[in-house]
Amino acid sequence: MLDLKLIRQNPEAVKVALGKRKLEYIKAIDELIIIDEKKRIIQQKADELKSERNNLSKSIKSKDEAINIQAQVKSINAQIQVLDQEQITLNEALEAIILYMPNLPSADTPDGKDERENQEIHSWGNKPILNSPKPHWEIAEALGILDFENTTRLSGSRFGSFIGQGAKLQRALIQFMLEEAANANYLELSPPAIIQGQILRGTGQLPKFAEDLYHLENTDQYLIPTAEVPLTGFYANGQALKEADLPKKLCAYTPCFRSEAGAAGRDTRGLIRQHQFDKIELVHICKPEDSFSEHEKLVRQAENILEKLELPYRRILLCAGDMGFSASKCYDLEVWFPSQNQYREISSCSNCTDFQARRLNLKFKRDQKNELVHTLNGSGLAVGRTWAAIVENYQLDNKLGFKIPKVLQDYMKISELS
RNA sequence: GGAGAGAUGGCCGAGCGGUUGAAGGCGCAGCACUGGAAAUGCUGUAUACAGGUAACUGUAUCGAGGGUUCGAAUCCCUCUCUCUCCGCCA
């Protein structure tokens, strides 16, 4: 959520920043200011009346004296009730706008409408030289380590199963990624995959993106779309964090669930776009002045995983129009997929500044005062896509199979699968 | 799932219709004492919104929502959560 005070004090700057994402937000700012103005006038009136009522009540010491002021207080109460109701209505109108407004792009976020205007920061690694690169599902299904056919009967489209060495490879990746995070002093959490709507509102998935989530019937509970939600929301209990405890670095391995509404027809084959996938998530909670340097550290942590797996990738700085709702600045890491002859997203590292912290009421104490923290999140990494990238980049040119990355060989006890 | 008990500030805990935003203790911070520390003493120590350059002022908040009342942490209703016992169960 954006800071209402900032909008009030500097509406033009907010309009310019939001306009970089989508022009339609500019008009909403004007509406917001009008509602806010009305709301404050009403609050002042209501507060004055309440003050008057309190003073009258305080002057009464016994039941008998009460008779003198009963009528007066009742009439004040009637006025208060009307004003309070108006304030509730205005507040709802205000929330209906501000909860649907995305974070302001940072100053160094490039202008641009969509992914075509993203900036490549750098690329790493050597793309494999292959005569006829096969897609990962072709190799994996033929090897019997990945199944879609039976699994679709079990669960529907966009679900798959890892089998035998395939399942073990997934486990190896999870173990490897968690160890890397532990070595970098991340605190591992193993949170539930079911979470309250309130927290999803805090991190920005709700109310705007409800259709992307799996909602449990007759509850306010949802399946997590990413461990970003439980990790970022973990300390959102209203109790301020200690300044000395920041930055907090958290990691978690969880399944992630996405309805993929609106993705019909895209990436229908293989592991790229599934309803359920595993991911190791990294979250930093830090002081406001540190968030941009923490963001660089976070993205380096994710890159480090790709480098140790020796997977060719590039880092992209997203333009304003392509950035996620809660992010102020975002790097995507994209891994090379030989069969598609293109890079595909494998990690998205966002600096959400105080946007989620304000919604979650996530604060730290500095000099006796509570201040909003900044929150950052990034994948380190999406396991299914990493699995697929390994199969494709390490595939053998002369026969069916692929090599196992060096860092996973101890765990897998083999160097090649064919 | 059945029965009972409970939910008060960072924590423990008093209060059971008015002077209580909330006693007391612990914790924490500052100051004094000390060569330094411990102990001790003193002082301070919730959050949000609105107004004000500010000091500050007003309002709201004692699990959440609603009600009774001139006035609610205190009384009533609903919900949520926690604990204990029983049942069931990875």
Side-chain angles (χ1 to χ4, degrees):
Chain A
M1 192 163 67
L2 298 179
D3 184 2
L4 205 64
K5 276 184 198 146
L6 176 72
I7 296 174
R8 208 181 281 154
Q9 285 161 7
N10 209 341
E12 294 312 313
V14 173
K15 281 184 198 173
V16 169
L18 277 185
K20 288 183 180 179
R21 304 188 79 131
K22 259 188 185 166
L23 292 172
E24 64 194 55
Y25 292 119
I26 293 177
K27 208 170 70 203
I29 292 289
D30 288 327
E31 283 176 57
L32 204 62
I33 289 169
I34 292 166
I35 296 168
D36 177 55
E37 189 82 18
K38 276 191 203 161
K39 198 189 112 180
R40 277 150 63 213
I41 290 166
I42 287 169
Q43 185 182 341
Q44 272 181 56
K45 276 192 208 159
D47 281 0
E48 279 168 28
L49 287 169
K50 283 173 187 174
S51 176
E52 197 183 334
R53 175 184 65 185
N54 287 345
N55 287 333
L56 283 169
S57 288
K58 272 182 202 161
S59 69
I60 297 303
K61 295 281 182 257
S62 72
K63 193 91 186 163
D64 300 334
E65 289 176 65
I67 294 160
N68 302 324
I69 61 156
Q70 269 176 10
Q72 201 181 346
V73 174
K74 276 192 173 166
S75 114
I76 291 172
N77 275 343
Q79 294 175 63
I80 288 173
Q81 207 178 358
V82 172
L83 291 173
D84 277 354
Q85 195 49 53
E86 275 180 60
Q87 219 188 326
I88 289 167
T89 308
L90 287 170
N91 214 33
E92 281 167 0
L94 201 126
E95 287 203 334
I97 297 172
I98 203 165
L99 285 177
Y100 287 81
M101 262 181 195
N103 201 353
L104 304 177
S106 67
D108 57 347
T109 291
D111 291 353
K113 279 193 294 292
D114 54 40
E115 71 274 5
R116 284 170 303 194
E117 293 176 83
N118 293 339
Q119 284 178 8
E120 180 174 322
I121 302 295
H122 60 236
S123 62
W124 182 96
N126 300 315
K127 297 171 188 169
I129 299 154
L130 298 157
N131 289 326
S132 54
K134 294 190 192 68
H136 61 275
W137 60 86
E138 238 179 80
I139 301 165
E141 283 186 297
L143 288 171
I145 60 169
L146 179 65
D147 170 85
F148 290 111
E149 208 182 316
N150 291 339
T151 309
T152 300
R153 272 196 293 277
L154 292 177
S155 307
S157 66
R158 292 198 190 279
F159 286 95
S161 297
F162 296 106
I163 301 166
Q165 293 288 359
K168 187 169 182 180
L169 177 59
Q170 151 132 314
R171 240 178 325 119
L173 281 170
I174 293 164
Q175 175 70 8
F176 167 67
M177 290 176 189
L178 283 175
E179 284 300 316
E180 287 298 313
N183 291 341
N185 290 317
Y186 282 79
L187 176 67
E188 182 183 349
L189 266 72
S190 183
I194 292 175
I195 197 153
Q196 307 266 34
Q198 186 199 346
I199 306 297
L200 287 154
R201 274 181 280 281
T203 46
Q205 278 80 10
L206 289 177
K208 200 171 185 178
F209 306 101
E211 63 170 23
D212 296 335
L213 300 167
Y214 284 105
H215 186 191
L216 304 189
E217 217 174 345
N218 300 323
T219 67
D220 187 37
Q221 294 170 317
Y222 298 77
L223 298 182
I224 53 171
T226 158
E228 168 199 337
V229 182
L231 289 183
T232 310
F234 194 75
Y235 295 102
N237 53 11
Q239 193 177 320
L241 298 167
K242 288 185 185 153
E243 185 180 3
D245 291 344
L246 301 180
K248 270 188 185 294
K249 299 201 301 179
L250 306 172
C251 71
Y253 150 66
T254 67
C256 302
F257 303 90
R258 302 195 180 170
S259 74
E260 294 297 346
R266 293 221 310 263
D267 303 312
T268 49
R269 302 204 66 184
L271 290 168
I272 297 289
R273 198 173 296 276
Q274 298 271 289
H275 287 309
Q276 174 178 349
F277 60 95
D278 285 348
K279 184 156 60 70
I280 277 68
E281 184 73 4
L282 308 170
V283 161
H284 292 200
I285 299 172
C286 70
K287 296 193 245 180
E289 64 270 27
D290 295 335
S291 72
F292 285 91
S293 61
E294 286 297 317
H295 191 210
E296 298 300 321
K297 290 180 193 164
L298 176 64
V299 70
R300 274 306 300 154
Q301 178 67 21
E303 285 178 341
N304 163 62
I305 309 273
L306 286 164
E307 287 169 19
K308 287 197 170 157
L309 288 167
E310 298 182 76
L311 289 169
Y313 74 90
R314 62 177 186 176
R315 188 203 293 193
I316 299 291
L317 176 59
L318 297 194
C319 71
D322 196 33
M323 212 164 37
F325 186 71
S326 298
S328 174
K329 182 180 179 183
C330 183
Y331 293 119
D332 272 6
L333 299 182
E334 298 181 337
V335 71
W336 180 249
F337 273 86
S339 73
Q340 302 188 6
N341 198 35
Q342 62 171 331
Y343 287 101
R344 300 297 308 261
E345 179 186 334
I346 197 163
S347 173
S348 190
C349 299
S350 301
N351 180 357
C352 298
T353 60
D354 60 7
F355 187 83
Q356 295 179 319
R358 186 171 295 106
R359 287 171 164 234
L360 287 165
N361 193 25
L362 187 51
K363 299 183 173 176
F364 76 105
K365 191 151 246 156
R366 170 152 65 184
D367 302 331
Q368 311 257 32
K369 289 218 162 186
N370 286 347
E371 270 182 68
L372 292 171
V373 297
H374 278 196
T375 62
L376 304 98
N377 64 77
S379 343
L381 305 160
V383 179
R385 287 187 183 182
T386 308
W387 193 102
I390 288 170
V391 172
E392 293 212 6
N393 283 283
Y394 281 84
Q395 67 183 282
L396 305 170
D397 222 2
N398 49 354
K399 62 171 173 174
L400 180 72
F402 62 97
K403 288 188 172 155
I404 304 293
K406 283 193 202 81
V407 289
L408 301 180
Q409 287 180 7
D410 274 356
Y411 195 97
M412 293 294 291
K413 310 273 196 313
I414 51 169
S415 59
E416 185 180 306
L417 238 165
S418 55

